[in-house]
Amino acid sequence: MADTNQYYERFNLPQSPYFLSHSVGCISKLSESMLAQNFLEPWKTSGGNAWGPWLELIGEFDAALARLLDSDPDYFCPQQNLSSGFTKFLMSLPKPSAKRNKVLIHPDAFPSMGFVINAMQKMGLELAYVQPSAPTQQLQMWEESLNDTIFCALITHVHSNTGHVSPVSEIVKLCAGKNVYSTVDIAQSAGILPISLSSWNADAVFGSCVKWLCGGPGAGFIWTNPNILQRLRPSDVGWFSHEDPFEMDINSFEYAGTAKRFWGGTPSIAPYAIALGGIRCITEIGVENILDHNRVLMRRVLSNSESVASHAVDINHIGGTLCLPVKENLVNKLSEILNKQKIFFDQRKHVFRLSFHIYNNERECQALNDAFAQVSLN
Ligand SMILES: Cc1ncc(COP(=O)(O)O)c(C=O)c1O
């Protein structure tokens, strides 16, 4: 297990055990200093001339993502969040035919992504669901659902309410074989599961830095595959989507040759200064290292949760969050005890969500185990 004491110091942590990294990861000290030095300081000392260092910072953000996710900085473009990246991507595709107009999604995908598809009805798109199944049956379900009415698929790498991991590479391959655009949501996996965008070879990937990357809200991103990039025609554009933003000719617009064609008007900078600190901090510690630590703590909690769990959780098919289904009659009692102890967790009905990051430790997990024991005694 990683010696987390050497890593605690790098984060600002709440007083009591924090198991909410699937919601908001804790802010690193590096993020605080990046915000002060790379965003506020240039502004304070040089006003509008801060754009030079600010745009350099965005370049570093793209480069840090490229390193973390095994790709090239030019294929990334900052976006406010995943929903907006997904909307922009769908709007950049050629118009779907009336026969092949469905966007396939798992029913456990994050609702926001379903809202995006439904809002695209005016573009002729329709939402379709993959049949829900046990994690081991997922690939078969995708294969059965990828028929010739499907235009695009959104694969959620890690589902937020079950923790289940999707076999992304295999689903992307199925999509490619059926001429379906493949896209991936990595909101719940970036920073906790190793990811190689180059190996996945999906058409587009959407992510954010707010969870396991400890990068705060507002620093999302889109990644687009270089093989289709030149054919993508975003509708939501601005001068920063231009090949030369400073050309300043209203009659001349040329899409940027890189994924920056998805950027738009004057970009925000501050969220990316914070996020860059988070990504660098996580990359330095190492995703593999964080995942190993996560598994040690998760196993410890899982093996003590049998008395409260309504059914078993298979650690081999989940991301960094333990989505623990609690017996109906114990739900209120357990949440009461955890709240009383000021433990940070959340609930989706009877499912308790607990995330184990590098800044969590055995002592905190013992507090959970004690709570389980207390609930089952009563
Ligand atoms: C799997 C998944 N996708 C997407 C999101 C968030 O989407 P957005 O960045 O559009 O708010 C979340 C947030 O919890 C999530 O868990």
Side-chain angles (χ1 to χ4, degrees):
M1 175 152 107
D3 170 13
T4 50
N5 285 337
Q6 62 168 313
Y7 301 123
Y8 280 157
E9 298 286 302
R10 300 192 189 193
F11 297 90
N12 295 284
L13 300 170
Q15 291 283 308
S16 44
Y18 188 84
F19 297 114
L20 278 180
S21 299
H22 54 272
S23 173
V24 176
C26 292
I27 183 168
S28 70
K29 293 182 181 161
L30 189 57
S31 285
E32 279 184 292
S33 62
M34 299 276 328
L35 180 68
Q37 282 163 28
N38 296 48
F39 177 66
L40 295 176
E41 197 55 31
W43 189 9
K44 283 193 214 162
T45 54
S46 58
N49 287 347
W51 274 111
W54 285 349
L55 292 179
E56 257 174 48
L57 184 142
I58 297 296
E60 287 174 32
F61 172 79
D62 293 337
L65 283 177
R67 243 187 331 272
L68 178 82
L69 303 172
D70 184 28
S71 185
D72 186 291
D74 278 351
Y75 310 150
F76 290 90
C77 180
Q79 296 289 306
Q80 200 176 355
N81 49 50
L82 282 93
S83 316
S84 114
F86 188 31
T87 302
K88 287 193 191 185
F89 179 75
L90 290 174
M91 290 175 75
S92 76
L93 294 173
K95 205 172 160 16
S97 71
K99 277 195 187 145
R100 192 188 261 269
N101 69 337
K102 295 197 172 125
V103 182
L104 189 62
I105 189 170
H106 193 286
D108 287 342
F110 194 69
S112 198
M113 306 309 257
F115 303 157
V116 166
I117 302 168
N118 280 328
M120 288 284 149
Q121 272 174 16
K122 53 179 172 291
M123 311 285 298
L125 293 177
E126 266 178 50
L127 184 149
Y129 287 121
V130 179
Q131 280 286 105
S133 65
T136 47
Q137 305 293 307
Q138 279 196 72
L139 194 56
Q140 188 190 332
M141 292 303 162
W142 278 91
E143 184 155 28
E144 284 171 17
S145 306
L146 280 165
N147 56 44
D148 55 13
T149 68
I150 307 299
F151 174 66
C152 178
L154 175 78
I155 307 153
T156 306
H157 189 195
V158 174
H159 289 111
S160 55
N161 290 349
T162 57
H164 291 163
V165 177
S166 304
V168 175
S169 284
E170 289 85 347
I171 302 172
V172 167
K173 278 196 196 98
L174 285 178
C175 290
K178 300 193 179 203
N179 282 327
V180 170
Y181 289 103
S182 57
T183 67
V184 191
D185 169 340
I186 58 169
Q188 291 291 354
S189 54
I192 181 67
L193 295 187
I195 292 175
S196 167
L197 298 184
S198 307
S199 320
W200 278 355
N201 202 27
D203 290 310
V205 173
F206 317 106
S208 71
C209 301
V210 61
K211 301 173 188 302
W212 296 93
L213 287 173
C214 300
F221 56 88
I222 181 174
W223 173 93
T224 49
N225 192 313
N227 297 331
I228 63 158
L229 180 53
Q230 300 310 321
R231 281 181 272 137
L232 301 174
R233 296 268 175 279
S235 306
D236 180 351
V237 294
W239 57 311
F240 280 83
S241 315
H242 196 296
E243 175 62 15
D244 175 9
F246 296 95
E247 190 188 64
M248 296 294 166
D249 176 354
I250 199 167
N251 293 311
S252 152
F253 177 79
E254 191 190 337
Y255 280 114
T258 65
K260 293 295 176 298
R261 61 180 58 198
F262 283 92
W263 213 356
T266 308
S268 56
I269 302 295
Y272 302 96
I274 300 170
L276 180 57
I279 301 168
R280 282 195 178 155
C281 183
I282 296 303
T283 308
E284 267 175 35
I285 297 170
V287 170
E288 306 272 356
N289 212 359
I290 299 172
L291 183 59
D292 283 351
H293 181 69
N294 168 283
R295 285 326 198 220
V296 171
L297 297 186
M298 196 187 285
R299 283 209 172 84
R300 177 169 259 264
V301 171
L302 205 47
S303 63
N304 283 279
S305 66
E306 277 156 18
S307 55
V308 297
S310 57
H311 54 267
V313 175
D314 183 351
I315 200 170
N316 297 313
H317 296 287
I318 60 176
T321 307
L322 172 59
C323 296
L324 188 69
V326 171
K327 291 174 187 159
E328 299 281 352
N329 60 327
L330 301 180
V331 167
N332 290 343
K333 190 79 197 153
L334 182 58
S335 96
E336 208 175 280
I337 293 175
L338 295 178
N339 281 321
K340 213 165 168 187
Q341 294 183 20
K342 299 197 166 45
I343 291 178
F344 289 83
F345 74 103
D346 67 12
Q347 254 175 280
R348 293 281 184 264
K349 297 186 183 139
H350 69 295
V351 174
F352 284 56
R353 300 195 303 173
L354 300 160
S355 290
F356 308 96
H357 211 313
I358 196 74
Y359 40 70
N360 294 112
N361 61 32
E362 301 255 2
R363 184 178 36 79
E364 294 171 337
C365 291
Q366 191 53 46
L368 286 177
N369 294 341
D370 291 345
F372 297 154
Q374 201 179 333
V375 169
S376 28
L377 272 184
N378 287 327

